[in-house]
Amino acid sequence: MNRLRGQSGLTYVIWSVLTVELLLSVATGRWPVAFVSLATLALTMTPIFLAPRLNIRLPRSIVAAIVVFIFATLFLGEVMDFYIRLWWWDIALHGMSALGLGLAGFLLVFILFEGDRYAAPAWAIGLLAFCFAVTIGVIWEVFEFAMDQTFGLNMQKSGLVDTMGDLIVDIIGAGVAGLTGALYLRGKALGSVSALVEEFVDLNRRFFRRFKG
């Protein structure tokens, strides 16, 4: 349990909410809510236990972002019916996921170049990050289609319109992430984004032997 220590206050608040909801749901026999609460709690803790196995150290800010996203997707979306109550909820989450995946793609490419800002043109690395995020978005839409066709679910909601809307949002989010990565390589001040990248680099120096802050 030592790995769960040292996280952000927001992360602990969400874990507390999920734990309380889990206990209340079990006590009142609301088993579907209990299952979703337990699954959400487990998934939000997964990156913390998975990262050491991959020999990666995650900054608290990245862990907090992952926890918030999973909480918003599963618990708020499914248990609290935010997908129904707020028409823009699904759009916002797709944008967040695309932005996050784009930054993850940027860090992955940056690792491949060992942190060398000049190993490739900034626009090329930004484009690779963009492609990475969009590819994941497309794979997810294929997964939704497969689940609907195989199990009779309704993950695609309105079908083609929902799928295309999601992909458009994915492209916009991935584009913002790719542009952000390219600007960072050009030395543009990006506030919290630059701080997040440099914090990740500092925690994982062995992957960035050519990095010069």
Side-chain angles (χ1 to χ4, degrees):
M1 298 298 289
N2 289 337
R3 294 177 181 175
L4 300 180
R5 297 177 180 175
Q7 300 303 322
S8 69
L10 179 59
T11 297
Y12 288 127
V13 168
I14 291 176
W15 284 345
S16 298
V17 170
L18 291 171
T19 301
V20 170
E21 187 63 34
L22 172 61
L23 295 176
L24 290 175
S25 299
V26 171
T28 56
R30 294 179 296 150
W31 302 113
V33 175
F35 174 77
V36 173
S37 299
L38 179 60
T40 305
L41 186 62
L43 286 172
T44 56
M45 293 181 177
T46 297
I48 298 174
F49 291 97
L50 182 61
R53 292 183 177 274
L54 300 176
N55 204 24
I56 294 175
R57 298 180 63 188
L58 294 176
R60 295 193 310 168
S61 54
I62 290 181
V63 173
I66 294 173
V67 169
V68 168
F69 179 75
I70 295 175
F71 178 71
T73 301
L74 294 180
F75 187 79
L76 295 181
E78 300 296 338
V79 175
M80 304 302 293
D81 291 328
F82 274 32
Y83 287 122
I84 297 175
R85 296 182 181 182
L86 304 174
W87 65 267
W88 48 266
W89 192 251
D90 185 54
I91 296 175
L93 291 180
H94 267 278
M96 287 174 57
S97 65
L99 183 59
L101 287 169
L103 292 176
F106 167 75
L107 289 173
L108 178 61
V109 175
F110 209 31
I111 286 175
L112 294 177
F113 289 118
E114 298 183 334
D116 187 349
R117 291 174 178 264
Y118 307 105
W123 66 265
I125 295 179
L127 179 61
L128 288 174
F130 167 81
C131 292
F132 176 84
V134 172
T135 299
I136 299 298
V138 171
I139 292 174
W140 176 257
E141 294 303 322
V142 172
F143 169 76
E144 286 190 346
F145 173 78
M147 293 298 289
D148 287 353
Q149 294 299 310
T150 304
F151 300 106
L153 302 179
N154 187 32
M155 296 183 70
Q156 290 184 295
K157 305 299 187 297
S158 56
L160 179 61
V161 174
D162 177 78
T163 298
M164 294 309 299
D166 290 345
L167 288 176
I168 290 171
V169 174
D170 289 342
I171 289 171
I172 294 173
V176 172
L179 178 61
T180 299
L183 291 175
Y184 171 78
L185 292 176
R186 288 181 172 273
K188 304 294 184 181
L190 297 173
S192 58
V193 175
S194 296
L196 185 150
V197 171
E198 289 171 4
E199 183 181 6
F200 182 86
V201 170
D202 288 338
L203 290 174
N204 300 275
R205 277 286 177 178
R206 60 191 173 282
F207 297 129
F208 301 96
R209 292 178 294 176
R210 299 181 182 178
F211 179 78
K212 295 180 181 179

